[in-house]
Amino acid sequence: MNYPRLDIDCEKIYHNAEFLINQLSLKNISVTPVTKAFLGHPIIAQVLVDAGATMLADSRIENLQKITESGISIPKMLIRTPMLSELATVIKYSDMSLNSEVEVIQRLSHVAEQQNCRHDIIVMVELGDLREGVMPNRVIDFIREIISLPNITLKGIGANLACRYGVSPDNQNMKVLSDLADGIEAIFGISLEIISGGNSASVNWALKTGLTRVNNLRIGEAIFLGCEPLEHKNIKGLYTDAISLTAEVIESKIKPTLPWGNRGLNAFGEKESVPDRGSVSQAILALGRQDICVSGLKVPDGIKITSSTSDHLVIESSQKPLLIGEAVTFSLDYSALLSSMSSRYIYKYFKAPKGRRRE
Ligand SMILES: *Cc1c(COP(=O)(O)O)cnc(C)c1O
């Protein structure tokens, strides 16, 4: 076995995706799985397609390119508003993008004309989390400026909450989105196909609410980790242990808790005060800040993370001392998943990559 290692159980991810797709379809909401946490990995993309996804989304066009080149041909949505410097690849490798700037859509139109194809647009509306989106009172004017651009189709509107400030989706802000959809349709005499209400933070709202105009969610975290981001609560019916990270012990000793010698800042410019807790059973795992967002690791019982440096994770064990070569397994939150997938030093092991075929 190679360590550190991320274990990814594709059967559980398949189950989570299928469960959310089915449950939310009862509310007339389609699920567009978001592959960014897996860097658009083709194995995961295929599992999601097998589970019933009819469109995939990612924030990076490189990831959508990877998925396209692996032979997956369902429509793809770019969920970060495009950079002007990447428009040619955006047109080439995505069918639809989330947008919040007129200038970007004008240029997308121009590039789509050059490439002789069409590109679909979802206009993002700001609903209070203050990340991307057009202010609600500016949306009608915004759409007036882009509605008749050549080679561009306005597919719908959308919103993103809970990312910057943790603003929760609720009936009130979702009604703002729904009313805007009605208004746009009335004013421009069109019908909007997609009202994309949010991300994993919207799952619980969506499962509880009655039918609204929101008919799409873009979901990553809930599929992969089985929990919702606002309160870190598990979502009923989903596996929360589809992904785990295992690292190996490279030193294990009884050591004092109090450092000695004159102290300055540590390697990361920090200086913490250290209480003297006597001697402890201390172990070092071969895993560090260069690999992972350490604060996102959830430890097994009897183990505590005390420090981390670039390449070392220092832990204490309250039970018997760990052995050299012993493996310690953690579960991960979203930031730990993102960082560990991006580390080339962490081995990725996909269990049951085929998933079950959807009947
Ligand atoms: C990342 C992202 C998502 C998915 O978020 P999860 O919390 O993983 O469900 C949805 N929409 C946008 C715009 C995103 O950037």
Side-chain angles (χ1 to χ4, degrees):
M1 272 311 175
N2 295 311
Y3 297 113
R5 192 178 88 230
L6 204 56
D7 280 290
I8 301 142
D9 187 328
C10 296
E11 281 287 341
K12 289 180 176 172
I13 290 174
Y14 175 99
H15 166 88
N16 286 359
E18 186 182 50
F19 182 91
L20 287 172
I21 289 169
N22 290 343
Q23 291 299 307
L24 287 168
S25 79
L26 302 175
K27 304 280 182 176
N28 195 32
I29 293 176
S30 65
V31 171
T32 303
V34 175
T35 53
K36 70 186 176 203
F38 279 100
L39 320 182
H41 201 294
I43 289 178
I44 294 296
Q46 188 60 51
V47 168
L48 297 167
V49 171
D50 292 343
T54 52
M55 178 158 60
L56 293 174
D58 204 289
S59 52
R60 313 285 171 134
I61 197 65
E62 293 88 341
N63 294 348
L64 293 180
Q65 176 174 357
K66 204 189 305 178
I67 292 171
T68 306
E69 287 172 351
S70 79
I72 293 176
S73 57
I74 63 171
K76 293 165 198 82
M77 175 196 264
L78 180 68
I79 57 174
R80 183 173 70 183
T81 193
M83 293 184 266
L84 290 178
S85 57
E86 65 178 356
L87 297 185
T89 37
V90 169
I91 295 290
K92 188 159 176 205
Y93 295 110
S94 69
D95 304 274
M96 186 184 308
S97 56
L98 307 186
N99 280 272
S100 56
E101 291 290 349
V102 167
E103 186 179 351
V104 173
I105 303 172
Q106 286 168 339
R107 299 274 290 274
L108 277 169
S109 161
H110 186 67
V111 177
E113 255 187 313
Q114 283 174 340
Q115 292 190 16
N116 198 23
C117 60
R118 298 197 66 82
H119 189 74
D120 294 340
I121 297 287
I122 303 281
V123 171
M124 295 300 277
V125 180
E126 175 61 66
L127 292 179
D129 202 49
L130 298 180
R131 203 179 72 180
E132 75 273 47
V134 182
M135 291 296 283
N137 63 354
R138 296 274 311 131
V139 169
I140 300 294
D141 288 342
F142 185 100
I143 286 174
R144 195 165 282 128
E145 287 190 73
I146 57 124
I147 189 86
S148 40
L149 287 172
N151 300 54
I152 292 290
T153 306
L154 177 66
K155 270 278 171 190
I157 59 174
N160 195 69
L161 289 168
C163 272
R164 183 173 170 203
Y165 287 121
V167 171
S168 320
D170 55 29
N171 289 337
Q172 210 173 338
N173 47 36
M174 288 300 107
K175 185 171 187 307
V176 172
L177 196 65
S178 295
D179 289 350
L180 267 171
D182 292 341
I184 292 162
E185 291 180 342
I187 290 170
F188 297 99
I190 55 174
S191 82
L192 297 176
E193 205 176 294
I194 298 178
I195 314 297
S196 187
N199 52 39
S200 292
S202 295
V203 169
N204 283 334
W205 168 82
L207 290 173
K208 278 195 311 253
T209 191
L211 290 183
T212 70
R213 288 228 46 183
V214 172
N215 64 5
N216 173 264
L217 294 178
R218 312 168 304 272
I219 299 182
E221 179 165 0
I223 293 175
F224 303 130
L225 300 177
C227 76
E228 61 81 45
L230 286 166
E231 300 178 62
H232 281 282
K233 288 218 181 96
N234 299 344
I235 297 171
K236 242 178 92 189
L238 300 186
Y239 288 109
T240 55
D241 59 351
I243 302 161
S244 64
L245 178 67
T246 303
E248 181 178 338
V249 176
I250 54 171
E251 183 189 294
S252 179
K253 296 188 188 308
I254 305 296
K255 285 200 182 182
T257 43
L258 204 60
W260 65 87
N262 295 320
R263 288 180 69 203
L265 302 177
N266 72 7
F268 296 92
E270 308 149 345
K271 187 174 183 178
E272 50 170 336
S273 67
V274 189
D276 187 356
R277 295 180 289 115
S279 286
V280 294
S281 173
Q282 172 182 304
I284 297 175
L285 299 178
L287 178 74
R289 295 196 200 182
Q290 194 168 7
D291 306 299
I292 191 149
C293 173
V294 173
S295 62
L297 288 174
K298 291 180 243 173
V299 292
D301 283 347
I303 287 194
K304 194 171 81 180
I305 297 173
T306 50
S307 303
S308 60
T309 63
S310 332
D311 311 296
H312 301 79
L313 192 70
V314 184
I315 63 177
E316 282 177 23
S317 148
S318 62
Q319 288 141 15
K320 61 178 178 11
L322 297 167
L323 305 173
I324 305 305
E326 192 170 336
V328 179
T329 298
F330 302 88
S331 54
L332 300 91
D333 76 3
Y334 193 63
S335 55
L337 174 60
L338 278 180
S339 51
S340 57
M341 273 307 296
S342 309
S343 171
R344 53 183 286 243
Y345 302 103
I346 295 183
Y347 291 85
K348 285 93 187 172
Y349 179 69
F350 294 88
K351 191 175 146 211
K354 285 260 171 276
R356 274 167 295 149
R357 286 277 148 194
R358 194 174 161 79
E359 278 88 42

